[in-house]
Amino acid sequence: MSVIYQKVALIGLGLIAGSMAHAMRRDGLAGEIVGTARSAETRAVARDIGLCDRVVDSASEAVEGADLVVLAVPVGAMGRVAGEIAPHLAPGATVTDVGSVKKDVVDQVGHHLPEGVHFIPGHPLAGTEHSGPRSGFAELFENRYTLLTPVEGSDPEAVARLRALWEGMGANVEEMDAEHHDLVLAVTSHTPHLIAYTMVGVADHLRRVTESEVIKYSAAGFRDFTRIAASDPTMWRDVFLTNKEAVLDILGRFTEELFVLQRAIRMGDGDALHDYFTRTRAIRRGIIEAGQDTDAPDFGRVKPRKGGDAG
Ligand code: NAP
């Protein structure tokens, strides 16, 4: 494939930026990849494993002359980083991000950017429970969706170029409004994560089931919750702080449904439970048919690495 951006600056060098670096290099999509991270330790690891062509010590240095800048830090840090890089951005550059929440990022970042710089927020719906500069891999985005949420007046050519980069990394790309994105993700990712955190918390508090029993018999469903609940605490704190309204909306609906099932169990209403589980099974089938998960036994766990949840 051919070079899409001459110089890509990655700000933050964790799972998502690292995976982008691997994928761009595999497919020759960037002339040069320059990266930076907040801590000297992460920068040292990135240099050590050769994650980027160059690792520099500051975000302002990284973005100099870059035609694409990717903000790949937790959502709550986007505004501060945007303020830091703004005076150093090249005219005509595109600034994008990979944050799991979009409306808040638009509000935090947009006003910092100078005229003539294109701002095209984005979110790859792909991730794992791992984080840090060693956790990335080139296949993470393959056959996963990346959602772009262009702001009003975005230059169509700049959007098309960013779309081409994501497609080059294997993603299916769609565009939507930032607010709608946040509602969709509250349903498909944010609230499920909160439920997983809660379930693991409940087991932790439940002294009638010993810790060793919880671990030993975890394959009965609990194990999948623990994997999700092992996700990065900073990232997820920021997701809930910045997508508050949509998550509270979906959580309200979730609690209502929970009461419906609770009542059916109490009343011994087997038909209601059976009908409910039949409907939910059809949703699972739809996800597999859309190629967004595997039908393999035990979720294909024999494979060593599998991209899974979207933040
Ligand atoms: P990660 O592996 O934890 O890496 C985060 C990076 O951001 C690190 O380089 C870290 O630097 C830096 N960072 C952390 N706090 C910062 C701060 N306050 N100021 C500046 N830099 C800071 O995270 P990730 O999973 O790649 O996530 C990055 C973004 O992608 C987040 O916005 C997240 O919402 C989004 N996302 C994540 C997933 C997922 O499943 N993980 C999926 C889709 C989108 P140090 O290493 O030096 O601390």
Side-chain angles (χ1 to χ4, degrees), residues 36-94:
T36 191
R38 171 184 60 166
S39 70
E41 192 190 341
T42 297
R43 297 195 297 270
V45 172
R47 283 189 187 106
D48 201 39
I49 63 174
L51 190 60
C52 306
D53 298 312
R54 271 190 304 135
V55 174
V56 297
D57 288 342
S58 73
S60 47
E61 193 184 341
V63 304
E64 256 165 42
D67 46 0
L68 178 69
V69 175
V70 183
L71 308 180
V73 297
V75 172
M78 296 279 183
R80 197 193 49 71
V81 172
E84 185 186 335
I85 61 171
H88 307 276
L89 291 167
T94 289

Side-chain angles (χ1 to χ4, degrees), residues 11-17 36-40 42-43 71-75 77-78 80-81 98-101 123-128 130-133 135 232 234-236 239 309-311:
I11 314 299
L13 292 171
L15 171 72
I16 302 295
T36 191
R38 171 184 60 166
S39 70
T42 297
R43 297 195 297 270
L71 308 180
V73 297
V75 172
M78 296 279 183
R80 197 193 49 71
V81 172
V98 293
S100 306
V101 177
H123 179 200
L125 307 191
T128 72
H130 302 294
S131 50
S135 60
D232 187 70
T234 307
M235 168 187 157
W236 284 97
V239 165
D309 320 296

